[in-house]
Amino acid sequence: MRVAEAVGRALAASGVDHVFGVVGSGNFHVTNALIAAGARFVAARHEGGAATMADAYARTSGRVAALTVHQGPGLTNALTGITEAVKSGTPLVVLAPEATEPRSNFHLDQEALVRAVGATTVRITSARDAVERTGGAINTAVAGRTTVVLALPLTVQSEEVPDPTAAERLGPPPAREPVEPTDADTAALARLLADARRPVFVAGRGARGPAARDALTALAERYGALLATSAVARGLFPDDPWSLGVSGGFASPLAAELVQGADLIVGWGCALNMWTMRHGRLIGPRTKVAQIDDVPSALGAHRPVDLGVTGDVERTARRVLETDTGTHQGYRTPETGAAIAARAHWRDVPYDDDSTHERIDPRTLSIVLDTLLPAERVIGVDSGNFMGYPSVYLSAPDENGFCFTQAFQSIGLGLATAIGAALARPDRLPVAALGDGGALMGAAELDTVRRLGLPMVVVVYNDDSYGAEVHHFGPDGHPLGTVEFPPTDLAAVARGYGFETLTVRSADDLKGVGNWLAGPRSAPLLIDAKVTRDRGAWWLEEAFRGH
């Protein structure tokens, strides 16, 4: 058995069940070996799309995924998606063939490239260490919650491994061991909570999952805390009457007011960064701040904290529950409860509909879609001026119903995000929410949606511009010719890929969505929504105030 085959078999034996990529000469044999060993291969049309699909699949499924690329340009094409995965702490293994001959067109300093974006390199140097290093790459990805590039030199791939059965003896990597908080930190956190009169919990990426959610819900009830999330954990508390939804730029006016009125904010697996705390403006002058994270370097990384606790979110919450058995009303007064029920969420906030004969208000578009689409959905959102509308108006059934790839803030990742999430949750209707810029940037993956037979709804908030730049620079009188474009018929583009389509200029035009949902859904649906463009999104105006 050759190295390429042994590596593919070792990855499958370690639990890799999905591999995304574009196949060329250098990764042909290792990819086929993975497929032969039982993994599903998802062919993308661009390595950047493949990387983002793998990232979204891993974060939505909770399992490590693999990305396979050609040597040289295959890796550089995938770099933006890899960077997003690194910044998101996604366990991902990248199969990266390596041209070691300096005169090769494909040669580059691969390790330096990988290091520059924060990923880790594991290199297979001989047939003797191929299986061991492959297992080590998987272990590192899982234990370190990171992206590992497994370098496969072309000169090594064809070598014969000394033990052909070694790959089959590998098993899934051990789960990451939860970090226990210290007794002193647990007691200090319990004291802060007991003294608080208006506590707010903000749960982030580290709190995703039913075990952490249940522990936080119980602890919040004990101390009368209100519940909020960062954008990436949206949906974590979907039915809780004390949930404020997302904190930060996407927060409703009442949610922002209540967070700002807290006397204690506790970040649970949450960075409390500029987005979640609106550059710190949601933290009152006398508010105390506590942060819980199982990575010590994360504590206080974005703002000073009064208490930093190194610990797993669930374990820490459970320990505090055991420490203090008293109950506290906290922020959960009848008046606060009535206010949350009436106007904590964006659907409850009145607005003046800006729709015209030619363009639909993105709020109206999002609200009508939320009503029409099934509740069991998984939403992937691209980046841009538009992204707040689907992020706050399209409801998510839980934290695995919303995939938010914004750690690197690149546009063009939304469609591939929705594909990866859809494959992780085939029981749910996949919805991709894109701007026109991101839709065109990732348009090649429309073919992947159609080829895979995904019953996806792709919604394009089409303002014929890079709206963030238009609304950032336009008010100051700067020329906008570089960021505005002639109208594009995205519905026609999608029909070329085999989609059913709707061009939407008014709420009445959305009736076709119901017809599509009631039909066989034999083809995916793309909605080219011509949205109003006269004003910038509220969340972006808020974000730019800090620049």
Side-chain angles (χ1 to χ4, degrees):
M1 182 187 299
R2 295 184 175 182
V3 165
E5 183 180 355
V7 169
R9 291 192 178 193
L11 287 169
S14 297
V16 173
D17 59 5
H18 276 68
V19 55
F20 302 80
V22 177
V23 171
S25 59
N27 63 330
F28 183 85
H29 294 298
V30 67
T31 304
N32 279 319
L34 244 173
I35 296 168
R40 179 180 182 182
F41 174 62
V42 179
R45 285 301 192 179
H46 190 279
E47 289 92 349
T52 302
M53 291 174 205
D55 175 28
Y57 177 84
R59 66 170 76 186
T60 304
S61 68
R63 298 189 294 274
V64 66
L67 167 67
T68 179
V69 298
H70 189 270
Q71 62 270 24
L75 181 60
T76 58
N77 279 349
L79 211 57
T80 297
I82 290 172
T83 306
E84 172 67 34
V86 170
K87 289 179 176 287
S88 299
T90 303
L92 185 66
V93 173
V94 182
L95 300 172
E98 188 174 33
T100 54
E101 167 53 54
R103 290 169 294 185
S104 168
N105 287 11
F106 297 127
H107 177 72
L108 55 84
D109 189 343
Q110 187 166 291
E111 189 165 357
L113 185 73
V114 169
R115 189 187 316 115
V117 302
T120 300
T121 294
V122 172
R123 177 173 284 102
I124 292 177
T125 57
S126 71
R128 292 187 304 277
D129 66 10
V131 171
E132 178 184 355
R133 295 205 173 198
T134 300
I138 291 281
N139 291 345
T140 298
V142 172
R145 288 197 296 251
T146 190
T147 298
V148 177
V149 175
L150 184 60
L152 302 169
L154 299 178
T155 53
V156 177
Q157 287 193 42
S158 59
E159 293 181 6
E160 292 287 334
V161 297
D163 182 1
T165 65
E168 280 71 17
R169 293 197 295 273
L170 285 179
R176 183 184 173 96
E177 192 68 29
V179 177
E180 291 284 352
T182 66
D183 291 341
D185 282 347
T186 301
L189 181 57
R191 286 193 298 272
L192 274 180
L193 288 167
D195 291 341
R197 296 295 176 264
R198 297 180 305 281
V200 171
F201 289 179
V202 183
R205 191 187 309 275
R208 286 168 53 95
R213 177 185 61 237
D214 292 348
L216 289 181
T217 300
L219 190 66
E221 184 176 1
R222 171 78 55 83
Y223 288 100
L226 305 184
L227 295 162
T229 72
S230 66
V232 76
R234 180 170 180 252
L236 187 62
F237 309 110
D239 301 317
D240 196 293
W242 299 101
S243 171
L244 304 176
V246 176
S247 175
F250 292 166
S252 70
L254 178 67
E257 177 186 325
L258 291 172
V259 174
Q260 197 168 36
D263 62 356
L264 173 65
I265 293 174
V266 186
W268 296 91
C270 177
L272 300 177
N273 59 25
M274 57 175 276
W275 302 106
T276 308
M277 290 290 110
R278 293 189 179 179
H279 298 278
R281 287 189 288 272
L282 292 186
I283 302 174
R286 296 181 180 84
T287 303
K288 292 186 176 181
V289 178
Q291 186 181 4
I292 293 84
D293 203 289
D294 62 3
V295 178
S297 61
L299 300 175
H302 290 273
R303 64 192 63 262
V305 297
D306 296 282
L307 175 65
V309 177
T310 301
D312 173 77
V313 165
E314 188 217 346
R315 295 293 179 92
T316 302
R318 296 289 181 200
R319 289 280 298 277
V320 176
L321 280 166
E322 295 166 1
T323 300
D324 181 358
T325 58
T327 57
H328 309 261
Q329 182 183 55
Y331 223 159
R332 296 190 175 192
T333 65
E335 295 79 11
T336 301
I340 292 172
R343 54 192 178 92
H345 306 292
W346 278 104
R347 288 288 295 265
D348 306 318
V349 178
Y351 69 96
D352 294 326
D353 193 323
D354 290 335
S355 299
T356 68
H357 292 301
E358 293 297 317
R359 293 185 176 273
I360 185 171
D361 188 311
R363 294 167 293 187
T364 302
L365 168 70
S366 305
I367 290 169
V368 175
L369 282 174
D370 188 53
T371 302
L372 291 171
L373 298 176
E376 284 298 309
R377 62 186 74 154
V378 57
I379 306 164
V381 181
D382 211 325
S383 190
N385 179 69
F386 80 95
M387 72 182 187
Y389 301 110
S391 295
V392 303
Y393 288 111
L394 297 183
S395 58
D398 55 32
E399 74 277 14
N400 290 318
F402 185 73
C403 197
F404 196 66
T405 47
Q406 300 294 333
F408 196 33
Q409 292 185 253
S410 171
I411 69 169
L413 306 186
L415 182 58
T417 294
I419 294 171
L423 293 170
R425 292 305 305 257
D427 56 322
R428 293 180 170 177
L429 177 74
V431 180
L434 320 174
D436 54 296
L440 288 167
M441 196 175 287
E445 303 309 341
L446 292 171
D447 173 76
T448 304
V449 175
R450 183 69 177 93
R451 179 165 30 86
L452 294 176
L454 297 175
M456 182 180 291
V457 177
V458 178
V459 187
V460 183
Y461 291 70
N462 187 355
D463 63 359
D464 297 311
S465 67
Y466 291 141
E469 285 66 35
V470 167
H471 298 296
H472 182 41
F473 296 107
D476 293 328
H478 295 291
L480 299 174
T482 56
V483 292
E484 293 182 325
F485 301 92
T488 302
D489 188 350
L490 292 172
V493 173
R495 285 194 296 273
Y497 282 101
F499 276 62
E500 293 186 33
T501 64
L502 285 175
T503 298
V504 170
R505 300 181 185 276
S506 70
D508 286 343
D509 294 333
L510 288 166
K511 292 176 182 176
V513 176
N515 297 332
W516 181 84
L517 289 168
R521 306 185 202 177
S522 55
L525 175 67
L526 182 134
I527 300 169
D528 184 3
K530 312 297 186 180
V531 297
T532 53
R533 49 185 290 175
D534 294 336
R535 67 176 66 183
W538 83 97
W539 71 270
L540 199 61
E541 293 173 356
E542 179 72 37
F544 281 148
R545 288 180 203 167
H547 288 194

